[in-house]
Amino acid sequence: MARPFAPGFRIPPDLLLRAYATGVFPMAESADDPEVFWVRPEMRGVIPLDTFHVPKSLGKTLRRNPFRIAFDTDFDGVIEGCAEARRDSTETWINAPIREAYGLLFENGHCHTVEAWTDEGLVGGLYGVTLGRAFFGESMFSRRTDASKICLVHLVKRLRERGFTLLDTQFTTPHLKQFGAIDVPRNRYEQLLQEALQCGEARFNP
């Protein structure tokens, strides 16, 4: 079933993919902002897949299997959770045009989710865009301790299994640096991006 368009400003999915292919991504000033602006950082956050690190305390939690992990079953729930986590922040970029654009990418197979579930429902997750052998992480949220972190661990496992070569986090944070996230200059990032785009299309799902 076709996803309904939101009124006002729109980001065509093909334009969004072309932007990612050149190292550009959209953000919004607030959830209520009807438009977006385009970002091309001088320093870009990435998590090298071959040096991804699971903190010791998280490893203990992982062994307890506190969540059921799923992929691509509830895009709307994940993006709502991500927006909800930033509702009191001026740094959110999840406004109506972004919800619509990434929803269309999800329907077209270029946007994916990793989800943490309990008997109470969806308690954490993340979403991002795939293009070539690159995964562009967009946002994550937790309603339970470590839920988004565990989703990230499962994301990296899947990216490694499927032959992805680049995990873009846009920016680095203390939260991501504990997993091995680093900042790279824009020219180096664009080299990594082109390599990921030129070596074939990796499949996120079987």
Side-chain angles (χ1 to χ4, degrees):
M1 184 172 64
R3 181 174 291 269
F5 283 105
F9 186 86
R10 289 174 181 154
I11 311 170
D14 59 338
L15 173 63
L16 188 51
L17 291 177
R18 290 199 304 271
Y20 276 107
T22 60
V24 178
F25 57 88
M27 296 183 74
E29 292 289 353
S30 72
D32 298 327
D33 191 342
E35 299 186 358
V36 302
F37 59 93
W38 298 92
V39 183
R40 190 183 180 210
E42 289 293 332
M43 297 295 291
R44 192 73 168 240
V46 301
I47 297 179
L49 293 171
D50 57 350
T51 58
F52 180 75
H53 169 70
V54 178
K56 185 176 180 179
S57 60
L58 183 63
K60 293 179 180 179
T61 304
L62 277 164
R63 288 191 287 273
R64 295 201 303 268
N65 294 319
F67 309 115
R68 178 174 62 84
I69 301 299
F71 298 88
D72 289 353
T73 69
D74 190 359
F75 170 80
D76 289 332
V78 170
I79 200 166
E80 176 61 31
C82 292
E84 182 181 281
R86 289 166 174 77
R87 192 161 289 163
D88 297 328
S89 170
T90 59
E91 297 180 357
T92 183
W93 59 92
I94 303 178
N95 62 358
I98 285 176
R99 285 175 184 252
E100 176 184 87
Y102 288 89
L104 291 172
L105 285 189
F106 180 76
E107 291 179 355
N108 293 338
H110 281 285
C111 185
H112 300 279
T113 62
V114 186
E115 307 149 14
W117 294 82
T118 69
D119 291 342
E120 298 175 5
L122 182 66
V123 296
L126 61 83
Y127 76 97
V129 172
T130 56
L131 193 62
R133 294 184 180 271
F135 186 96
F136 307 89
E138 281 297 315
S139 189
M140 56 174 55
F141 79 100
S142 286
R143 294 182 182 134
R144 295 290 184 276
T145 301
D146 291 336
S148 65
K149 293 178 183 178
I150 289 175
C151 286
L152 178 60
V153 172
H154 283 272
L155 170 68
V156 170
K157 181 176 184 290
R158 174 156 293 205
L159 296 182
R160 286 170 166 172
E161 291 173 346
R162 306 293 180 192
F164 285 82
T165 60
L166 176 62
L167 173 51
D168 173 3
T169 66
Q170 299 179 347
F171 304 103
T172 59
T173 64
H175 174 82
L176 293 174
K177 285 183 176 180
Q178 66 183 310
F179 295 96
I182 59 174
D183 290 298
V184 296
R186 186 166 70 190
N187 59 351
R188 175 58 180 152
Y189 170 78
E190 290 177 353
Q191 288 177 338
L192 295 171
L193 175 59
Q194 289 310 305
E195 290 169 4
L197 297 178
Q198 291 170 3
C199 58
E201 191 83 16
R203 292 176 58 88
F204 187 83
N205 289 318

